[in-house]
Amino acid sequence: MNILVTGGAGYVGSHVVEELLKTGDHRVVILDNLQKGHRESLLGGEFIEGDLADTSLLYRIFAQHDIEAVVHMAADSLVGESVQHPDKYFHNNVTNGLNLLNAMVRHSARYIVFSSTAAVYGEPIATPITEEHPQAPTNPYGESKLFFERIMARYDHAYGLRHISLRYFNAAGASPSGKIGEDHRPETHLIPIILEVALGQREHVTICGTDYDTPDGTCVRDYIHVADLAAAHLLALEALAEGAASSVYNLGNGEGFSVREVIDMVEKVVGKPIAREEGERRPGDPAVLVASSQRIIQELGWRPKYHDLETIVETAWFWHKEHPQGFGS
Ligand SMILES: NC(=O)c1ccc[n+]([C@@H]2O[C@H](COP(=O)([O-])OP(=O)(O)OC[C@H]3O[C@@H](n4cnc5c(N)ncnc54)[C@H](O)[C@@H]3O)[C@@H](O)[C@H]2O)c1
């Protein structure tokens, strides 16, 4: 299949590209504006540096590469920034996404797999969270992703554009190949922040809130290995190609770890103490976010291979040790 991967030079995107190329069955075209992504993270495929806002570029890509399917990961995804600048989030995650859908319709591309998020659920009223859980995002980022899911449903109804939304929980870890890993700038994700402390690049990790209603008072999250996440995109594309109806799936491990447990695990893996400081809660952070991924397990046969936290941290540490300055190392 000829597949366009938007945001393919980003963290999850580069791992999806690696997974698609491993099959040897697909021609992969990557579109990324490199505002957050890294050219060095691409292990193959045809890279086009450009922006989803550029509609004529999009139309050219679809026409020249005969694109049949899209994996749409390009987005802005910082929750705090989205509260300060909702315009940026609705513009990039919704308006620019519409450019993509319109190009798909114009060029008869048939399937799209979309990076959605646990943030569409907002404050959970039941755990583990299933896909039927009410969707009530508490910030513009989650709202922009939910809008896009709904727009795709309308495009399916009107134009037959079939789609699978994958609602990721916390993506973590690095490719077991050791070639690519996580390099967000600024880094806001817990595991790479703790690893920066281990590498002497930060003095300490701040625990944001110690008075939550959880066993040790810190937030509990569901970490999913980025390679397992990438494998799910392939399954989703295959299902759509075989005629599956549009759907939405959670992607998590179904097991939660507190911030303290994650720091303890990093200490175990790197073999040295991690300095920690206790800080205030971040506004809008739910106490517990844990997924039920039963639907994708049952319907698409997804089987996570790297589900234990120790393996997730080990793969991340291996990459960070080898690339202390990220992709510029
Ligand atoms: N990392 C996570 O834990 C997580 C969790 C839930 C959902 N997601 C979603 O998964 C996707 C990938 O996340 P990530 O962590 O890899 O983020 P990332 O920032 O590393 O990757 C996003 C990529 O999209 C590119 N991009 C953004 N806007 C663009 C545009 N208008 N045109 C072209 N390229 C553009 C960026 O340069 C970047 O390379 C995002 O949609 C994000 O919202 C991520």
Side-chain angles (χ1 to χ4, degrees):
M1 208 160 19
N2 296 336
I3 302 172
L4 173 66
V5 182
T6 75
Y11 169 48
V12 182
S14 54
H15 289 79
V16 169
V17 169
E18 183 183 37
E19 187 73 21
L20 289 173
L21 293 173
K22 257 193 334 210
T23 66
D25 294 337
H26 304 295
R27 258 190 67 218
V28 181
V29 177
I30 299 122
L31 174 69
D32 198 298
N33 62 14
L34 297 183
Q35 273 181 10
K36 292 275 165 58
H38 309 274
R39 196 185 288 265
E40 305 88 326
S41 72
L42 291 171
L43 301 176
E46 178 167 346
F47 177 59
I48 298 168
E49 184 175 348
D51 199 290
L52 287 171
D54 185 347
T55 48
S56 50
L57 171 66
L58 278 177
Y59 287 155
R60 262 202 320 280
I61 293 173
F62 276 89
Q64 284 174 2
H65 297 275
D66 196 15
I67 299 295
E68 299 161 88
V70 173
V71 182
H72 178 38
M73 286 178 285
D76 287 310
S77 51
L78 300 175
V79 169
E81 184 186 56
S82 80
V83 175
Q84 300 301 320
H85 301 289
D87 54 329
K88 177 176 177 185
Y89 279 72
F90 292 123
H91 183 73
N92 199 23
N93 298 0
V94 182
T95 312
N96 284 342
L98 269 174
N99 293 340
L100 178 69
L101 294 185
N102 292 336
M104 290 185 72
V105 171
R106 165 91 74 94
H107 291 278
S108 308
R110 288 174 298 170
Y111 327 116
I112 177 166
V113 176
F114 171 59
S115 300
S116 189
T117 167
V120 300
Y121 296 113
E123 184 71 40
I125 54 174
T127 282
I129 298 171
T130 64
E131 291 82 355
E132 281 79 29
H133 185 287
Q135 285 115 58
T138 52
N139 53 66
Y141 166 62
E143 201 143 56
S144 69
K145 292 283 185 175
L146 187 59
F147 277 166
F148 199 73
E149 286 190 9
R150 290 180 173 160
I151 291 169
M152 288 191 302
R154 297 293 179 190
Y155 271 55
D156 187 3
H157 182 74
Y159 313 119
L161 190 74
R162 277 184 297 123
H163 55 92
I164 288 182
S165 293
L166 299 175
R167 293 179 180 156
Y168 314 164
F169 282 61
N170 288 55
S175 170
S177 71
K179 293 179 185 158
I180 49 177
E182 185 165 13
D183 183 3
H184 289 112
R185 300 178 198 188
E187 191 52 79
T188 58
H189 295 85
L190 181 62
I191 293 174
I193 286 178
I194 308 172
L195 293 177
E196 286 175 10
V197 179
L199 286 167
Q201 296 168 343
R202 277 182 199 251
E203 283 182 5
H204 61 264
V205 53
T206 303
I207 302 175
C208 299
T210 53
D211 57 350
Y212 284 97
D213 185 15
T214 58
D216 67 15
T218 68
C219 284
V220 170
R221 294 290 179 269
D222 184 333
Y223 295 88
I224 169 168
H225 196 284
V226 66
D228 288 330
L229 204 55
H233 290 71
L234 199 63
L235 290 174
L237 280 170
E238 285 165 357
L240 288 169
E242 283 162 13
S246 295
S247 194
V248 52
Y249 296 107
N250 283 341
L251 279 171
N253 272 314
E255 196 181 352
F257 293 94
S258 73
V259 176
R260 288 194 211 279
E261 286 173 322
V262 176
I263 300 174
D264 291 347
M265 181 57 79
V266 175
E267 284 187 337
K268 179 177 171 201
V269 168
V270 308
K272 53 178 144 178
I274 299 291
R276 47 186 101 182
E277 274 194 2
E278 296 186 357
E280 296 297 308
R281 290 181 177 203
R282 284 186 308 201
D285 252 352
V288 179
L289 280 178
V290 176
S292 161
S293 300
Q294 284 312 307
R295 186 188 278 178
I296 191 163
I297 289 171
Q298 280 161 14
E299 292 185 8
L300 302 191
W302 179 67
R303 297 283 178 273
K305 282 202 238 166
Y306 309 100
H307 47 77
D308 64 298
L309 185 62
E310 188 161 359
T311 309
I312 291 175
V313 173
E314 275 170 358
T315 57
W317 177 231
F318 181 80
W319 193 78
H320 277 267
K321 242 184 355 199
E322 300 293 312
H323 302 83
Q325 305 306 325
F327 281 105
S329 298

